[in-house]
Amino acid sequence: MSNTTEIYICYPGQSIKEGKCEYSDIQTRMEADSDAARRFAADPGIAKIAYYKVNEDGDFKIMCTKENANVQNTRGRKKLDSGARTHPDRKRRAPKKQGLFGRLKSALAD
């Protein structure tokens, strides 16, 4: 695992530990900056990227972190408006037809 860089990709609301981990052979901060810019352009939903240099013993050192100032919330559920149905794609059942006694009852009640 020598000369390995761990890249943690975080979306809005995620901490670094919850982010997706990828491995790369990035060696310098300038390479990390250009890689972060490329990733932000490819996925505008990324909120933060952190680069950690890992040595053979498993020790790590932070290389750099970048935050996306123009993050777009492309993941997660859309918030529902008040009064909106929870499953708008489901059809509502038609009301059950009243029988003879139900119709007589409603006719007498009016």
Side-chain angles (χ1 to χ4, degrees):
M1 224 164 68
S2 65
N3 298 330
T4 303
T5 303
E6 288 183 348
I7 305 169
Y8 289 91
I9 302 169
C10 304
Y11 290 92
Q14 283 185 325
S15 68
I16 296 291
K17 292 180 180 180
E18 295 172 339
K20 178 181 170 188
C21 180
E22 293 183 4
Y23 296 94
S24 179
D25 59 350
I26 295 174
Q27 298 300 314
T28 64
R29 182 181 174 100
M30 194 166 40
E31 289 176 356
D33 289 341
S34 64
D35 183 67
R38 181 186 57 80
R39 288 178 190 266
F40 287 148
D43 186 358
I46 297 174
K48 182 188 265 186
I49 298 178
Y51 294 86
Y52 289 91
K53 189 79 156 173
V54 181
N55 66 12
E56 294 175 357
D57 297 331
D59 296 331
F60 61 91
K61 180 181 177 185
I62 190 161
M63 188 183 304
C64 77
T65 59
K66 292 289 181 180
E67 290 192 28
N68 188 359
N70 301 321
V71 66
Q72 298 173 2
N73 192 2
T74 58
R75 291 185 167 216
R77 297 181 180 168
K78 294 180 182 175
K79 292 183 180 180
L80 297 175
D81 295 334
S82 61
R85 294 187 351 215
T86 57
H87 298 285
D89 55 336
R90 292 185 183 172
K91 293 183 180 178
R92 291 188 182 192
R93 292 183 181 169
K96 191 175 179 181
K97 291 185 179 181
Q98 292 182 346
L100 177 63
F101 291 112
R103 286 184 283 174
L104 285 174
K105 211 186 229 186
S106 63
L108 294 175
D110 289 332

